[in-house]
Amino acid sequence: MNKDVLVVIGTGGMGEAIARRSGPGRTVLLADFNEELLARLSESLGADGYHVETHPVDVSSVTSMGSLTERAASLGPIAAAVHTAGLSPAQAAVDAILRVDLLGVANFLDAFAAVIASGGSGVVIASMAGTLSAGRLPPELEAALAATPTDELLSLPFLQQLPDPGAAYGIAKRANQLRVQAASMQWGGRGARVNSISPGVIATPMGQQELAGDSGAQMRAMVDVSATGRLGTPGDIAAAVAFLTGPEATFISGADLLVDGGAVAGTRHAAAGSV
Ligand SMILES: NC(=O)c1ccc[n+]([C@@H]2O[C@H](COP(=O)([O-])OP(=O)(O)OC[C@H]3O[C@@H](n4cnc5c(N)ncnc54)[C@H](O)[C@@H]3O)[C@@H](O)[C@H]2O)c1
């Protein structure tokens, strides 16, 4: 009998926590473009009793994403597909961030809309950087990010003149939230749901690299003024994914869940809470 399939794209800090939390009893298909990382995580999960398959993917390629969905569908009904692959401003230049964080998510939403099981659910990991961008982008720009066909996305004029990787990341992550909302209509047509999660600062390899980089001081300041006053753990994000893909969330689709320990609230309202 075919078991339900959980697809986890991006097998870094969050991907591993999500696979461990939501993987038991399912076939877990891990996908990443770092084949060494894929093999290492597959071995570690296999040793812990998980049923794991792997498939290399470059999320920025339609062909590669198509090959992944074909493999996923061949394994059984796809109950959940979680997109965590990403590059941060400390890791990459503007072009690469737009290809992976913007185009990659658009490719995921298109491709998995065609294979997700009825009753299944998708989650895209966006970022609080997208939430912070929301108030700053003009409405016509947001509309273009939400609705431009995937193969024309990277040609949008305003993406040709971004000043730095941080600006590209904020726009890409806002686009993730908007495109998930728009895609939920198509996913709904198959009886499936799709949502995004916008994490705050999470202690994964990427989070640690950002904290050590140029924007580290600003990120630490956001954590300091947040209601929880702490970094997030990969498990905090895995818990949110389990909720959104589980039976308690069957009325939630097209939504963004901010899981930031109160960092955005603190940034906007710290003065109101001070005594
Ligand atoms: N860590 C944080 O503080 C934080 C905060 C907000 C949002 N996020 C977002 O959460 C997601 C997960 O981040 P993480 O902290 O687990 O990072 P991570 O660096 O631990 O993992 C990201 C994974 O994506 C993979 N990847 C990169 N480009 C790829 C491509 N083209 N195709 C396939 N895989 C690719 C990498 O190999 C890596 O394994 C990212 O989208 C990130 O932008 C992270």
Side-chain angles (χ1 to χ4, degrees):
M1 190 185 71
N2 276 348
K3 284 193 267 193
D4 280 353
V5 177
L6 164 69
V7 183
V8 180
I9 306 176
T11 50
M14 288 186 208
E16 174 170 359
I18 291 162
R20 287 189 178 280
R21 168 103 192 209
S22 295
R26 291 169 158 172
T27 296
V28 181
L29 177 59
L30 302 174
D32 199 295
F33 77 164
N34 182 333
E35 299 197 31
E36 210 181 298
L37 190 66
L38 260 186
R40 214 180 320 134
L41 183 57
S42 166
E43 201 175 310
S44 158
L45 289 176
D48 290 343
Y50 291 78
H51 178 204
V52 187
E53 301 282 343
T54 61
H55 195 86
V57 72
D58 176 356
V59 296
S60 67
S61 154
V62 178
T63 316
S64 180
M65 191 63 89
S67 151
L68 175 63
T69 51
E70 211 172 289
R71 174 79 189 286
S74 76
L75 295 172
I78 304 169
V82 188
H83 187 290
T84 80
L87 292 174
S88 72
Q91 294 174 330
V94 169
D95 279 8
I97 286 180
L98 291 179
R99 266 189 286 108
V100 174
D101 294 348
L102 175 63
L103 183 62
V105 165
N107 284 336
F108 165 80
L109 292 169
D110 294 348
F112 276 87
V115 293
I116 190 82
S118 175
S121 164
V123 175
V124 165
I125 306 298
S127 171
M128 71 171 171
T131 310
L132 290 167
S133 295
R136 298 177 189 147
L137 300 176
E140 60 277 13
L141 201 148
E142 292 219 334
L145 289 172
T148 299
T150 300
D151 59 354
E152 296 167 23
L153 247 185
L154 293 188
S155 307
L156 284 170
F158 58 83
L159 298 180
Q160 314 310 315
Q161 48 209 321
L162 298 175
D164 53 56
Y169 188 77
I171 286 187
K173 293 298 185 177
R174 178 60 184 147
N176 294 169
Q177 298 169 346
L178 294 164
R179 288 186 86 85
V180 162
Q181 187 180 62
S184 67
M185 303 308 298
Q186 197 188 353
W187 285 56
R190 291 182 66 89
R193 302 177 297 105
V194 64
N195 295 288
S196 58
I197 289 173
S198 288
V201 187
I202 310 296
T204 63
M206 179 190 287
Q208 302 292 7
Q209 209 175 332
E210 286 297 315
L211 283 166
D214 288 349
S215 55
Q218 193 190 342
M219 288 169 67
R220 239 179 288 276
M222 286 190 75
V223 173
D224 288 345
V225 297
S226 71
T228 59
R230 70 168 174 90
L231 296 179
T233 65
D236 290 321
I237 302 306
V241 169
F243 166 67
L244 283 177
T245 56
E248 305 290 341
T250 56
F251 198 50
I252 304 179
S253 194
D256 180 68
L257 182 57
L258 180 63
V259 184
D260 71 339
V264 168
T267 304
R268 291 181 178 156
H269 305 289
S274 57
V275 284

